[in-house]
Amino acid sequence: LQKKGLKDIQASRDLKQLNDIRVHLLGKKGPITEVLRGMRDLAKEERPVVGSFANKVRDALTEAIEGQKAALEQEKLTQQLAHEKIDVTLPGQQPKLGTHHVIMQIIEQLEDTFLGMGFKVVYGYEVEEEKYNFEMLNMPKDHPARDMQDTFYITKDILMRTHMSPDEARELEKHDFSKGPLKMVSPGRVYRRDTDDATHSHQFFQMEGQYIGEHVTMADLKGTLEFAIRQIFGEDRQIRFRPSYFPFTEPSVEVDISCFKCNGKGCAVCKHTGWIEVLGAGMTHPNVLKAAGVDPEVYGGFAFGLGIDRFAMLKYGIDDIRNFYLNDVRFLDQFTKRG
Ligand code: FA5
């Protein structure tokens, strides 16, 4: 039995097989247990002889099983290590890092510029009340100027904001002028039922801002906007102010920037004129101040709204606004700013 047992143990190839052998040889129903159990039927003097012999066999088998078990475990471990080996000399995989969208980069630069001039940054609502988008901005119902911004309505009184001016009305209404002037900018996405083309999108980004206080003049408007535009575009571009009309400002202006790449010749973004309009602005209309509970006899100032997409197009010479919204990584990767 011992010989055969030892041979089987040595021949076992894995732990399960070894365990089966152990149960077979040493288990409750195994031959050794049977011998030990049968001892009570033996003569008294035979018992110690048989007992010690059976124990010796059991010990020899147990020892062999333990030895084989350790050997098989070691073998398994070696195999596993060989299988899971990591080759540290292989080149690593470069993870693809995301980056801020070019529109977001322009917003951040503008926010920094205006924060530097003492403006605060606020974020309003894309879904807005008609009251703040139009009514409080001197555009009562049926005002023809509403047609300037073709609107996506959700209900009669709720709409997708068409510009960032509602934030100006909201901030004006909240501001405590005894604590100083109101200086704020508000960037965000706006929606209009414009037909998409190279320079127009039905959704685009604007940043609006206002400075309302006791002695704010048109000169402040010009100085502030020129400074902000120069921060983005550098000293090379020409900037021009043209008279314009907005219901919420009087007088109103529009600002154009000269096109860098084309200088008036064959440039689609600039409609071949050499200029592109990037913002509207003006001195806040007394009716807007009154609607927000601010006394126009005491306080006044300027407001402006600029097109972020147009800024990005002009800064980087992009000739089609739709590129910003197609999410083509080959396009976006050109504006990767890492680190
Ligand atoms: C306005 O939205 C006014 N709220 C701006 C304003 C604010 C004037 C405060 C006075 C005082 P306008 O519709 O012109 O104005 O839009 C402002 C800028 O947004 C434009 O100069 C242009 O740069 C950009 N813009 C307008 N429509 C589109 C469009 N469909 N796609 C991309 N950019 C546009």
Side-chain angles (χ1 to χ4, degrees):
L1 175 77
Q2 184 173 340
K3 245 193 222 159
K4 164 132 190 358
L6 289 176
K7 210 169 138 209
D8 287 350
I9 290 166
Q10 291 307 324
S12 66
R13 288 298 5 118
D14 60 45
L15 290 166
K16 176 167 182 324
Q17 201 185 353
L18 181 65
N19 193 46
D20 291 346
I21 296 169
R22 185 187 62 78
V23 172
H24 177 70
L25 291 172
L26 305 175
K28 279 189 202 136
K29 293 180 189 153
I32 298 193
T33 316
E34 209 170 296
V35 170
L36 292 171
R37 210 181 281 140
M39 295 244 292
R40 60 180 112 89
D41 304 329
L42 294 176
K44 216 174 187 187
E45 59 281 12
E46 279 178 327
R47 282 186 200 164
V49 184
V50 174
S52 109
F53 184 70
N55 280 341
K56 255 193 225 147
V57 174
R58 189 188 56 195
D59 290 349
L61 291 173
T62 308
E63 199 180 313
I65 288 171
E66 290 305 321
Q68 181 70 354
K69 190 173 168 210
L72 287 174
E73 274 171 354
Q74 181 60 44
E75 195 178 314
K76 192 174 163 197
L77 187 66
T78 312
Q79 265 175 16
Q80 206 170 342
L81 285 176
H83 182 64
E84 290 176 2
K85 189 168 68 176
I86 296 171
D87 183 352
V88 291
T89 63
L90 279 176
Q93 280 180 357
Q94 192 70 33
K96 192 140 175 55
L97 291 181
T99 183
H100 278 174
H101 192 284
V102 55
I103 295 279
M104 201 59 213
Q105 293 179 26
I106 301 274
I107 291 178
E108 281 165 2
Q109 283 177 39
L110 283 167
E111 283 182 356
D112 281 351
T113 301
F114 280 99
L115 282 167
M117 290 193 279
F119 285 68
K120 67 174 177 173
V121 182
V122 303
Y123 303 100
Y125 310 107
E126 286 185 29
V127 179
E128 206 15 303
E129 290 176 43
E130 187 262 359
K131 171 181 150 192
Y132 288 102
N133 197 83
F134 289 130
E135 202 99 9
M136 295 204 32
L137 299 170
N138 198 28
M139 282 184 279
K141 287 196 173 44
D142 304 324
H143 192 290
R146 288 197 182 197
D147 293 346
M148 288 163 74
Q149 301 180 358
D150 212 350
T151 311
F152 290 111
Y153 279 91
I154 291 177
T155 67
K156 191 166 65 65
D157 304 317
I158 306 284
L159 45 75
M160 301 306 290
R161 68 183 171 199
T162 56
H163 52 177
M164 293 304 296
S165 305
D167 287 358
E168 297 184 15
R170 284 180 180 278
E171 287 296 313
L172 260 184
E173 205 176 40
K174 275 198 300 214
H175 189 72
D176 177 358
F177 281 92
S178 70
K179 300 218 166 95
L182 168 62
K183 295 172 87 176
M184 53 135 304
V185 289
S186 173
R189 200 194 293 264
V190 302
Y191 301 83
R192 290 186 197 174
R193 292 174 53 177
D194 283 353
T195 307
D196 290 2
D197 63 21
T199 54
H200 294 83
S201 173
H202 62 281
Q203 51 146 60
F204 55 100
F205 283 83
Q206 283 189 338
M207 176 181 272
E208 291 227 358
Q210 64 183 345
Y211 176 10
I212 310 288
E214 277 182 67
H215 305 289
V216 186
T217 68
M218 189 93 177
D220 295 311
L221 178 158
K222 272 196 85 178
T224 307
L225 293 179
E226 270 190 21
F227 178 76
I229 291 170
R230 293 256 171 262
Q231 287 294 304
I232 301 286
F233 294 103
E235 297 297 322
D236 299 340
R237 306 293 181 98
Q238 287 170 273
I239 301 170
R240 74 177 184 192
F241 286 73
R242 276 185 292 109
S244 185
Y245 169 77
F246 294 102
F248 26 87
T249 47
E250 181 59 37
S252 302
V253 292
E254 271 178 317
V255 180
D256 301 335
I257 312 187
S258 64
C259 288
F260 191 54
K261 292 242 155 132
C262 48
N263 282 330
K265 288 185 288 254
C267 170
V269 182
C270 292
K271 298 199 182 91
H272 312 289
T273 62
W275 297 93
I276 185 167
E277 170 217 319
V278 287
L279 67 84
M283 302 309 289
T284 302
H285 197 290
N287 287 352
V288 174
L289 297 169
K290 273 192 235 159
V294 179
D295 184 354
E297 297 295 327
V298 185
Y299 302 104
F302 68 81
F304 62 92
L306 58 85
I308 305 274
D309 305 64
R310 299 261 174 97
F311 264 49
M313 290 170 84
L314 262 189
K315 180 166 172 137
Y316 297 113
I318 297 161
D319 59 8
D320 197 322
I321 196 171
R322 288 165 286 204
N323 284 322
F324 295 130
Y325 304 104
L326 294 177
N327 284 335
D328 183 334
V329 178
R330 288 167 301 181
F331 170 78
L332 296 174
D333 264 355
Q334 299 173 72
F335 311 99
T336 302
K337 176 182 76 172
R338 295 228 159 89

